[in-house]
């Protein structure tokens, strides 16, 4: 029997309203008991002074494979996930070829099994080849294991196609995830449209581009009765729209990224392309609105939108460099440093947004430490101080806005299916 005993940590599990200093026992890949005593010879992970939570879930990552292995592979991306404290990731379908067939989904499964790091779930495309013209074979793709559908990076502009996607997914109780952007409003844009973009002389991407698309998608979800999940929400108007929709009973959820909660468009005054992402970093009023939405429950989840790009691509002039940053390895430290430590949110709220709720939204059998559940566990050192550097990052790409920044809080142990992927154990001596 495979046993692991986690001793004396602060165990937090919002799915059970659990928050207490206790112990956790794992047997044969499952949670075997909470508050039990170890047995002679049990391998013990000492978690005193640490936070023990259900494994973190990143519901929005780009692993790039197949097709763009120069930026990231499933092996390197899942190693980065483990180092960031994530036991499960959900990869987007904008690969080459895109994940619009059962065969490409099977390829991702095989590569993930070979990597043997964290759990990898996949979204499939909404439309064939992500062209927004014809629905993908969604039924076959869900049968092949897709947990949701999205054309992320390519907004679905055709409202009739989007309506049919909602109606079709309703039969499978799957959410539709759309990149909330009205592309004609942002064409050629580099950063958030506002005072900073005007001063820098860079073409802006107005907040209205997101507001318009979120409003349309909410209307279509309300019309169809389908489930909408708003990806990487970043504007005050989008937060307000989601809040009002929830009050009306529309089946809508939303996520926000760590960078949209903690950085503003003023970072672009450095002309550093590691601050260039889509949606762009917004002004302070939008950041504050996202924070308020996170705190009051309007925003359900935090996801990284991990988007690796090779150094050669990101070293171009800022108007030529691609959008996107790596985020899995820094997310926990950024959120602890900028939100938990200052008291903007508490630990149970953080765990709910990074584990419990992502599992609920996507229907994953994860996000809980209930007895009998899969033993996916993250142990966090809340006081670990570390500095982000290229040598520290295990992702294949290093395009992080947090390089050379000191953070507090880091995963010190990660367990996936009862197997210790990060951290050390000792033998418990009961004599």
């Amino acid at each position: 029997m495979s046993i692991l005993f986690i001793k004396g940590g602060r165990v937090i599990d919002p799915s059970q309203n659990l928050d207490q200093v206790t112990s956790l026992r794992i047997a044969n890949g499952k949670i075997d008991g909470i508050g039990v005593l170890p047995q002679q010879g049990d391998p013990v992970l000492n978690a005193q002074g640490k936070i023990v939570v259900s494994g973190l879930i990143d519901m929005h990552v780009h692993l790039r494979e197949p097709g763009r292995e120069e930026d990231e592979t499933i092996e390197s991306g899942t190693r980065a996930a483990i180092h960031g404290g994530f036991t499960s990731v959900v990869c987007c379908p904008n690969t080459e070829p895109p994940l619009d067939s059962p065969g490409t989904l099977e390829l991702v499964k095989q590569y993930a099994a070979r990597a043997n790091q964290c759990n990898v779930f996949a979204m499939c495309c909404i439309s064939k080849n992500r062209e927004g013209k014809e629905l993908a074979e969604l039924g076959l793709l869900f049968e092949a294991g897709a947990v949701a559908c999205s054309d992320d990076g390519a907004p679905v502009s055709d409202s009739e196609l989007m309506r049919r996607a909602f109606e079709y997914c309703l039969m499978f109780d799957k959410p539709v995830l759309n990149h909330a952007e009205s592309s004609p409003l942002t064409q050629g844009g580099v950063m958030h449209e506002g005072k900073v973009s005007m001063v820098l002389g860079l073409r802006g991407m107005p907040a209205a581009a997101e507001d318009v698309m979120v409003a349309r998608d909410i209307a279509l979800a309300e019309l169809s009765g389908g489930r909408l999940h708003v990806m990487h929400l970043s504007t005050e108007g989008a937060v307000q729209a989601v809040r009002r929709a929830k009050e009306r009973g529309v089946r809508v959820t939303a996520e926000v990224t760590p960078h949209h909660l903690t950085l503003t468009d003023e970072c672009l005054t450095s002309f550093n392309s590691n601050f260039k992402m889509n949606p762009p970093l917004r002004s302070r009023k939008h950041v504050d609105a996202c924070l308020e939405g996170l705190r009051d429950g309007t925003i359900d989840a935090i996801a990284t939108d991990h988007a690796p790009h090779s150094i050669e691509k990101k070293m171009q002039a800022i108007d030529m460099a691609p959008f996107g940053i790596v985020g899995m390895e820094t997310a926990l430290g950024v959120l602890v440093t900028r939100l938990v430590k200052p008291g903007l949110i508490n630990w149970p709220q953080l765990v709910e947004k990074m584990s419990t709720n992502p599992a609920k939204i996507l229907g994953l059998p994860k996000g809980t430490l209930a007895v009998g559940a899969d033993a996916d566990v993250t142990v966090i050192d809340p006081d670990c101080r570390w500095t982000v550097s290229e040598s520290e990052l295990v992702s294949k790409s290093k395009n992080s806005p947090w390089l050379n920044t000191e953070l507090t809080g880091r995963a010190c142990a990660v367990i996936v299916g009862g197997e210790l992927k990060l951290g050390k154990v000792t033998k418990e001596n009961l004599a």
Side-chain angles (χ1 to χ4, degrees), residues 61 63 72-89 111-121 306 328 394-395 414 421:
V61 306
L63 295 181
E72 192 81 283
T73 64
I74 290 174
E75 193 279 333
S76 65
T78 53
R79 276 195 296 115
I82 291 294
H83 279 257
F86 292 98
T87 60
S88 296
V89 299
Y111 287 167
R114 185 184 308 163
N116 192 29
Q117 296 288 331
C118 66
N119 304 301
V120 177
F121 301 94
H306 177 82
M328 286 192 287
V394 302
S395 171
V414 177
K421 299 292 185 178

Side-chain angles (χ1 to χ4, degrees), residues 157-349:
S157 298
D158 186 328
S159 296
E160 173 60 23
L161 183 72
M162 193 66 170
R163 175 185 179 177
R164 286 192 281 118
F166 277 119
E167 292 172 343
Y168 206 92
C169 290
L170 189 57
M171 294 187 289
F172 300 91
D173 194 28
K174 299 291 185 184
V176 179
L177 285 65
N178 195 20
H179 180 108
E181 177 185 357
S182 178
S183 299
L185 290 173
T186 60
Q187 188 172 7
V190 176
M191 63 176 294
H192 173 66
E193 182 178 287
K195 292 181 181 178
V196 178
S197 66
M198 183 176 63
V199 169
L200 297 180
L202 295 173
R203 184 161 182 171
M205 303 166 71
E210 180 171 319
D211 299 345
V212 166
M213 188 62 85
V214 169
R216 185 210 69 170
D217 288 346
I218 287 173
L220 293 176
E222 192 166 18
L223 173 67
S224 64
R227 294 175 55 200
L228 168 66
H229 179 76
V230 181
M231 306 176 85
H232 44 44
L233 183 150
S234 71
T235 69
E236 180 181 32
V239 173
Q240 292 173 349
V242 171
R243 184 180 290 119
R244 291 193 297 267
K246 286 190 171 188
E247 290 171 353
R248 297 198 306 273
V250 181
R251 301 175 71 194
V252 57
T253 54
E255 71 187 39
V256 67
T257 70
H259 44 278
H260 288 117
L261 290 169
T262 57
L263 300 174
T264 70
D265 56 346
E266 293 183 358
C267 295
L268 271 295
T269 58
S270 65
F271 287 89
N272 181 344
S273 63
N274 285 337
F275 292 102
K276 181 184 178 183
M277 63 278 293
N278 188 13
L281 296 177
R282 304 289 185 183
S283 62
R284 172 53 60 183
K285 77 165 186 172
H286 295 289
V287 173
D288 289 344
C290 288
L291 280 168
E292 183 57 32
L294 186 75
R295 297 175 68 179
D296 70 14
T298 300
I299 298 175
D300 305 86
I302 300 173
T304 69
D305 191 12
H306 177 82
H309 294 287
S310 65
I311 293 174
E312 293 78 13
K313 294 176 182 177
K314 270 294 191 178
M315 283 182 67
Q316 300 180 82
I318 196 163
D319 58 337
M320 299 295 293
F323 293 103
I325 63 171
V326 292
M328 286 192 287
E329 295 173 75
T330 54
L332 186 57
V334 168
L335 294 167
V336 172
T337 304
R338 300 296 180 91
L339 301 188
V340 177
K341 292 290 185 181
L344 296 176
I345 63 173
N346 58 35
W347 278 104
Q349 288 174 309

Side-chain angles (χ1 to χ4, degrees), residues 2-53:
S2 175
I3 300 291
L4 181 60
F5 191 84
I6 303 175
K7 179 180 179 180
R10 178 184 171 188
V11 179
I12 300 176
D13 182 7
S15 76
Q16 303 180 82
N17 293 316
L18 176 64
D19 183 358
Q20 66 182 70
V21 175
T22 187
S23 296
L24 195 69
R25 191 171 189 265
I26 294 169
N28 294 329
K30 302 290 184 179
I31 304 297
D32 188 55
I34 299 175
V36 297
L37 296 174
Q39 299 178 11
Q40 182 73 42
D42 277 358
V44 171
L45 195 156
N46 189 344
Q48 291 182 340
K50 309 298 191 295
I51 310 289
V52 180
V53 305

Side-chain angles (χ1 to χ4, degrees), residues 345-427:
I345 63 173
N346 58 35
W347 278 104
Q349 288 174 309
L350 183 67
V351 178
E352 183 180 49
K353 307 294 185 181
M354 296 187 75
S355 181
T356 311
N357 285 353
K360 288 179 180 178
I361 292 167
L362 296 175
L364 305 180
K366 306 291 180 182
T368 180
L369 296 175
V371 173
D374 293 341
D376 292 352
V377 184
T378 302
V379 182
I380 302 165
D381 184 342
D383 300 314
C384 175
R385 296 167 67 94
W386 61 290
T387 299
V388 182
S389 66
E390 290 190 7
S391 61
E392 283 272 346
L393 298 176
V394 302
S395 171
K396 197 168 184 179
S397 294
K398 313 298 179 184
N399 51 309
S400 169
W402 305 103
L403 291 175
N404 303 314
T405 301
E406 184 178 86
L407 301 175
T408 301
R410 200 173 195 182
C412 58
V414 177
I415 299 154
V416 181
E419 183 179 349
L420 190 67
K421 299 292 185 178
L422 182 72
K424 297 179 180 179
V425 300
T426 60
K427 290 291 184 180

